[in-house]
Amino acid sequence: MNYRSIKGTKDILPSESSQWQFVEQTMRDVFHRFNYKEIRTPIFESTGLFARSIGELTDIVGKEMYTFEDRSKDSITLRPEGTASVMRSFIQNNLGESQPLTKVYYIGPMFRQERPQAGRLRQFHQFGAEAIGSPTAETDVEIIAMAIEIYKALGITNYSLQINSVGDEECRPRYKEILSTALRTIADKLSFESQKRIDQNPMRVLDSKDENDKLLTASMPLITDYLNEDCANHFERVKSLLTAYGIPFTVNGRLVRGLDYYTKTAFEITSTELGSQDALAGGGRYDLLVKELGGKQTPGVGFAAGIERLMMILEKKGIQPPQRNPKIFIAAADEASREWVLTTTMRLRSAGISAETDLLSRSLKAQMKEADRQRSEFALVIGTMELESGKGLLKNLGDHTQQEIVLSDILTFFQQ
Ligand code: AMP
């Protein structure tokens, strides 16, 4: 074989696509219930958009983006996440002009050059939503509740929600200063990665996965103790609303997430059903992002979630979508009947019924085997005898009953 798919990418095979369609449809239904409308943005954008919004110092921008120069020598990047593109589109198309609150969702592929492993791909899929234009804690909780509602609608209940406040442009720099100073006293004992972050991105040190770093930073000051009044009140309101909605959560003062644009609320949903890559979804508030990208100061909040990880849980739990198989398979018993079989199959399809027939000139026995393999609900064998009498035997392949059917009535029979 000459060609194989690129490392870290995966085909969604015909045997899996009905599961994907089922999951996507369930998401769309939930988004609709919350009155979010779909937005579809291009999968590539100017590199600067991502560097500016996600942050130059983040892992994504620093080492994971698929960036290339196109033939016009413009720097292009395959989108590593959805929020930056949605904000670009929001500003470019003046989406905020006609309404004070813009509620949108997206579903689609994202690209990051990470080391592939179970639950971590280079082309993966996310669904996500953004509520742009509202500074209220009510909006944060709507976004969190909607993400959770999607998992519930899919039968996934084994998840946990962690929340934090990462402060704003007033209290965060103050806290970062205090944290950097504290971290400097133990700098030489920290992992190399964490040492690099002490000055520029000290909050990421608290989020380090390194066990020794975790021990060393166990008693470091946490942002939740340094929030200003506005951020503290906002955080309190988020917590009390989550409680009122009956959504369990834990506060994790170390949660910062890998993107720079968050302010105030940050959250993550994890599942114990997954291995080391246990993050199902993450999100938060980004009150400075639209302005940062050249738009008017506009607050916003959103989440993004991985679809492959959700699929892994569905598979583990044996949650199967309703199968979409043909309603009827019409088999031709002889050459002379083939034309009737083909045209009737076509007429059924035009009438909205899923119908299948043989295109490989197979024997009757092989055709019947195929009808079973396709899990067709009914099978009908047509030969010269049936065409002469105008009647055939319709077999129910599920319960093995059969009934006589007048061939000229076949369309009305299946349309009922
Ligand atoms: P992030 O945009 O990094 O906050 O990621 C949001 C969600 O997308 C994560 O919680 C994962 O479920 C999923 N995700 C992120 N990166 C990958 C990846 N490389 N492969 C598969 N899923 C991913």
Side-chain angles (χ1 to χ4, degrees), residues 178-187 190 198 202 205-206 217 220:
I178 293 166
L179 181 61
S180 295
T181 311
L183 287 171
R184 265 184 231 115
T185 63
I186 53 161
L190 290 170
I198 290 180
V205 178
L206 298 189
T217 59
M220 287 282 145

Side-chain angles (χ1 to χ4, degrees), residues 263-325:
T263 47
K264 293 183 178 164
T265 314
F267 66 91
E268 204 154 85
I269 300 172
T270 53
S271 168
T272 48
E273 306 267 356
L274 295 167
S276 63
Q277 301 300 312
D278 64 350
L280 266 181
R285 174 161 283 285
Y286 44 80
D287 290 346
L288 309 174
L289 184 55
V290 176
K291 185 140 181 248
E292 180 77 22
L293 295 175
K296 279 199 298 235
Q297 160 63 34
T298 314
V301 54
F303 82 90
I307 304 188
E308 281 80 0
R309 293 190 192 171
L310 187 160
M311 291 294 183
M312 284 164 75
I313 299 183
L314 292 185
E315 198 177 321
K316 218 166 147 190
K317 297 190 73 169
I319 300 173
Q320 285 271 337
Q323 289 297 315
R324 303 193 78 195
N325 300 319

Side-chain angles (χ1 to χ4, degrees), residues 335-348:
E335 260 326 293
S337 314
R338 250 178 222 282
E339 193 166 314
W340 186 94
V341 167
L342 286 168
T343 51
T344 306
T345 304
M346 189 59 216
R347 281 173 57 219
L348 283 162

Side-chain angles (χ1 to χ4, degrees), residues 8 60 64 80-83 106 110-127 151 257-259 261-262 267-270 274 277-283 303-310 312:
I60 296 180
E64 293 170 1
E81 57 104 51
T83 303
Y106 57 86
M110 306 293 161
F111 308 84
R112 295 183 197 172
Q113 192 161 5
E114 296 191 83
R115 198 168 45 79
Q117 62 181 87
R120 204 204 270 157
L121 291 154
R122 291 182 165 179
Q123 173 174 332
F124 59 100
H125 296 77
Q126 283 188 338
F127 62 100
Y151 294 118
R257 316 230 340 100
L259 305 99
Y261 51 61
Y262 289 115
F267 66 91
E268 204 154 85
I269 300 172
T270 53
L274 295 167
Q277 301 300 312
D278 64 350
L280 266 181
F303 82 90
I307 304 188
E308 281 80 0
R309 293 190 192 171
L310 187 160
M312 284 164 75

Side-chain angles (χ1 to χ4, degrees), residues 185-387:
T185 63
I186 53 161
D188 53 338
K189 301 194 192 80
L190 290 170
S191 67
F192 181 62
E193 275 299 303
S194 289
Q195 287 185 20
K196 281 197 299 190
R197 289 182 169 140
I198 290 180
D199 292 319
Q200 307 266 26
N201 209 348
M203 288 167 76
R204 283 296 305 280
V205 178
L206 298 189
D207 206 21
S208 168
K209 300 282 171 280
D210 183 289
E211 288 303 325
N212 193 44
D213 285 356
K214 280 189 198 167
L215 278 174
L216 286 167
T217 59
S219 56
M220 287 282 145
L222 294 180
I223 176 106
T224 29
D225 294 324
Y226 293 86
L227 297 175
N228 62 19
E229 203 187 337
D230 179 33
C231 290
N233 287 342
H234 189 95
F235 197 36
E236 282 312 309
R237 179 86 176 127
V238 167
K239 288 189 276 185
S240 72
L241 270 174
L242 283 172
T243 308
Y245 280 28
I247 299 174
F249 63 89
T250 50
V251 173
N252 174 2
R254 294 168 167 263
L255 181 74
V256 288
R257 316 230 340 100
L259 305 99
D260 272 359
Y261 51 61
Y262 289 115
T263 47
K264 293 183 178 164
T265 314
F267 66 91
E268 204 154 85
I269 300 172
T270 53
S271 168
T272 48
E273 306 267 356
L274 295 167
S276 63
Q277 301 300 312
D278 64 350
L280 266 181
R285 174 161 283 285
Y286 44 80
D287 290 346
L288 309 174
L289 184 55
V290 176
K291 185 140 181 248
E292 180 77 22
L293 295 175
K296 279 199 298 235
Q297 160 63 34
T298 314
V301 54
F303 82 90
I307 304 188
E308 281 80 0
R309 293 190 192 171
L310 187 160
M311 291 294 183
M312 284 164 75
I313 299 183
L314 292 185
E315 198 177 321
K316 218 166 147 190
K317 297 190 73 169
I319 300 173
Q320 285 271 337
Q323 289 297 315
R324 303 193 78 195
N325 300 319
K327 189 86 183 161
I328 177 169
F329 190 107
I330 313 185
D334 49 50
E335 260 326 293
S337 314
R338 250 178 222 282
E339 193 166 314
W340 186 94
V341 167
L342 286 168
T343 51
T344 306
T345 304
M346 189 59 216
R347 281 173 57 219
L348 283 162
R349 289 169 171 172
S350 295
I353 294 140
S354 172
E356 182 59 302
T357 188
D358 173 57
L359 298 177
L360 301 172
S361 305
R362 280 176 281 194
S363 70
L364 182 58
K365 200 170 149 214
Q367 290 182 64
M368 292 310 287
K369 240 172 124 173
E370 184 62 22
D372 268 328
R373 209 179 65 79
Q374 297 283 346
R375 296 186 194 210
S376 179
E377 199 176 327
F378 293 97
L380 179 66
V381 177
I382 297 293
T384 330
M385 221 171 69
E386 283 77 15
L387 291 182

